[in-house]
Amino acid sequence: MTARVVIVGNGMAGARLAGELHAREGDRKVTVLGAEPHRAYNRILLSTLLAGRIGEPDVELTEAAGHGVDLRSGVPVTAIDRSARQVRTDDGERIGYDHLVLATGARAVVPSLPGLDPANLPERVVPFRTLDDCRRILAAADGARSALVLGGGLLGLEAARGLATRGLATTVVHPREHLMERQLDPAAGAVLAGTLAGFGVTVQLGVSATGVATDANGVRLDLADGRSLHADLLVLSCGVRPDTALAQAAGLTVRRGVVVDDRLRTSDRSISAIGDCAEHDGVLTGLVAPAWAQAQVLADVLTGTDPLARYRPRPVVTRLKAAGIDLASMGDAAGGEPGEELTFADPARGTYARLRIRDERLIGAILLGDNPAVGTVIQLFDRGHPVPTDRRALLLGRALGAVGATPAASPALMPDAATVCQCNTVSKGALVRSWRSGARTVDAVVAATRAGTGCGGCRDAVSGIVDWLSQAESVEVTR
């Protein structure tokens, strides 16, 4: 009997699961129901699209297609009938399932402010979450001279940098005392604010918004200190909230997200949840790497490829993807746990580094600015290797090998186990194997391994390894 798997959501988690299921052997029908009217797209690259560095075709994801996959875009699911094992769409159709997967993602938070109705936002006020949001921002920015961004977290700063790249005088308003307070300490936040100022982004810190007003001339943002800021456009980047409405209405266990176990099962064993809507061990992911790891585990379990597969979260590395800004933050970077600390700051050069070490292992790090050791620091953190005796080599950017012993001047010195692509957990060894199997260009290696298809931050490293392999083969041939 053909197993029926229905996936609600065609975002980065749902599309990846469909692809994982399609790639595995077995007799099953996979139905993907996406509420958005588009092809699946890479949400991480929307800030790059906003900056004008890529076009819409560049954000599209490769979707599972062909025998056994029924992909439907623009089809919202309105209800789950658990007793009948069916979902109902907005046009009244009922679709049966043997296993249902919720990949409904998260929605942008619209703050409760006078002048803001989440169901009817003014034309000049746009959240930054979806492709449609990005299109609306670009339309509003066309001919605009200035923009306000409410929220100084990761996504807000990416939006601000993108708008500034388009020539808009951009101001970020953030209620906390420093930027990206979840990932940075105050000193790093101050250096980042200085770097942004150099790119034309002004930052207003420690002040809350109290109201919004719009008219034909633009937007006014009222602040708690009595000031009012004016601009042509207001972008909202005030966080996201897991989309759990379907799960709650169906009676599934929901806390902040849809609660799942190590096999990604909800309180109903015939329903799973992955990605931004899922809460595993009390934690929401909000990042692409965990969502894709969950998709792989769930595909293994559902197809019987590995019935014992379990989701185990990996250490999280946060990267700011904005032109001219290189920022990586990982672990307990802000200093909540005891440990050895090393810091270096050069605000004039936009450089800041902080390492937190316990038992000779990195427990957290912040690297802002040009630091050649960033790849090594990420590897040390990700793999739990001992840090080198000369801590300054990491702090000041004198690159070391992945175990801190030798200079990482060439990919030849990088261990095969070193993770090159954090989003897809692709190692250097996997890249080399794809090359030896016939993938002889960067695009071919990317297609074979998926490296670089997440945030794109590893594309230069992938290109460097491909160049190294090309040169090594050329030397072998000439000999």
Side-chain angles (χ1 to χ4, degrees):
M1 179 177 177
T2 302
R4 300 168 301 168
V5 179
V6 174
I7 303 172
V8 180
N10 191 32
M12 297 186 73
R16 174 55 65 93
L17 176 61
E20 294 282 357
L21 292 171
H22 184 60
R24 287 161 171 76
E25 295 181 356
D27 185 16
R28 71 189 68 87
K29 178 183 178 181
V30 179
T31 302
V32 185
L33 305 173
E36 294 186 66
H38 326 289
R39 290 171 55 95
Y41 60 90
N42 188 335
R43 196 182 310 277
I44 301 174
L45 297 180
L46 291 182
S47 57
T48 311
L49 176 63
L50 186 62
R53 296 167 59 196
I54 59 175
E56 281 196 15
D58 300 309
V59 305
E60 291 182 351
L61 292 172
T62 301
E63 297 173 321
H67 178 70
V69 178
D70 180 11
L71 175 60
R72 308 187 194 180
S73 299
V75 181
V77 172
T78 57
I80 301 169
D81 185 340
R82 291 168 56 190
S83 60
R85 290 198 176 186
Q86 294 178 335
V87 296
R88 187 171 67 245
T89 65
D90 66 340
D91 60 3
E93 182 182 3
R94 289 179 172 268
I95 302 172
Y97 65 84
D98 297 305
H99 198 90
L100 175 65
V101 182
L102 299 178
T104 49
R107 296 180 181 273
V109 172
V110 176
S112 299
L113 293 174
L116 289 186
D117 177 3
N120 187 27
L121 288 175
E123 182 178 349
R124 295 176 180 269
V125 179
V126 191
F128 185 34
R129 175 67 181 172
T130 68
L131 178 58
D132 281 340
D133 292 336
C134 193
R135 288 171 173 172
R136 289 182 59 200
I137 293 171
L138 289 173
D142 186 22
R145 295 183 177 181
S146 59
L148 295 170
V149 177
L150 185 57
L154 184 68
L155 194 60
L157 297 185
E158 290 179 357
R161 180 68 181 104
L163 291 168
T165 299
R166 290 184 172 273
L168 278 69
T170 305
T171 299
V172 174
V173 177
H174 192 53
R176 307 301 181 190
E177 296 299 325
H178 69 277
L179 298 170
M180 291 181 62
E181 70 279 355
R182 293 184 179 181
Q183 294 88 14
L184 304 182
D185 58 21
V191 174
L192 178 57
T195 300
L196 287 167
F199 290 122
V201 177
T202 303
V203 176
Q204 300 287 341
L205 296 171
V207 60
S208 299
T210 57
V212 176
T214 63
D215 57 28
N217 297 318
V219 182
R220 187 188 76 230
L221 182 67
D222 298 328
L223 305 181
D225 60 9
R227 290 180 298 150
S228 294
L229 302 179
H230 298 262
D232 299 315
L233 165 68
L234 171 62
V235 175
L236 303 177
S237 183
C238 304
V240 298
R241 184 175 294 119
D243 190 346
T244 60
L246 272 177
Q248 285 182 309
L252 300 177
T253 301
V254 175
R255 297 189 186 116
R256 291 187 299 160
V258 184
V259 176
V260 297
D261 61 15
D262 290 350
R263 298 176 71 183
L264 291 314
R265 300 176 302 186
T266 68
S267 52
D268 183 330
R269 293 298 183 257
S270 63
I271 303 178
S272 298
I274 61 173
D276 289 356
C277 71
E279 178 182 333
H280 174 265
D281 199 21
V283 177
L284 301 172
T285 61
L287 297 171
V288 65
W292 283 352
Q294 290 173 355
Q296 182 174 5
V297 169
L298 185 55
D300 284 341
V301 172
L302 293 181
T303 62
T305 303
D306 182 3
L308 300 179
R310 299 294 185 269
Y311 172 63
R312 295 287 184 266
R314 293 174 57 87
V316 174
V317 178
T318 300
R319 302 295 295 266
L320 177 61
K321 296 165 288 298
I325 302 174
D326 192 357
L327 170 63
S329 175
M330 61 209 79
D332 180 33
E337 300 180 23
E340 175 186 353
E341 293 196 20
L342 299 91
T343 60
F344 170 79
D346 186 353
R349 295 178 179 270
T351 301
Y352 179 85
R354 181 178 186 179
L355 305 178
R356 306 200 67 251
I357 301 167
R358 188 173 65 230
D359 298 329
E360 297 301 308
R361 265 73 176 175
L362 272 175
I363 59 172
I366 300 170
L367 296 173
L368 173 60
D370 184 16
N371 189 318
V374 62
T376 299
V377 172
I378 291 174
Q379 292 297 322
L380 289 169
F381 173 74
D382 184 61
R383 304 188 65 80
H385 284 305
V387 297
T389 303
D390 182 8
R391 318 286 209 238
R392 294 173 300 175
L394 297 177
L395 192 67
L396 303 179
R398 296 202 296 272
L400 301 170
V403 296
T406 56
S410 165
L413 302 175
M414 182 187 299
D416 281 352
T419 303
V420 177
C421 176
Q422 295 286 327
C423 295
N424 289 287
T425 319
V426 181
S427 67
K428 174 208 167 184
L431 298 176
V432 172
R433 287 191 294 274
S434 71
W435 170 273
R436 291 173 177 167
S437 297
R440 295 307 175 96
T441 66
V442 173
D443 288 344
V445 169
V446 167
T449 64
R450 291 175 169 163
T453 60
C455 71
C458 65
R459 290 284 298 208
D460 288 345
V462 173
S463 297
I465 290 172
V466 171
D467 288 344
W468 163 67
L469 289 167
S470 300
Q471 295 168 7
E473 181 180 72
S474 175
V475 170
E476 291 175 3
V477 169
T478 57
R479 285 178 179 175

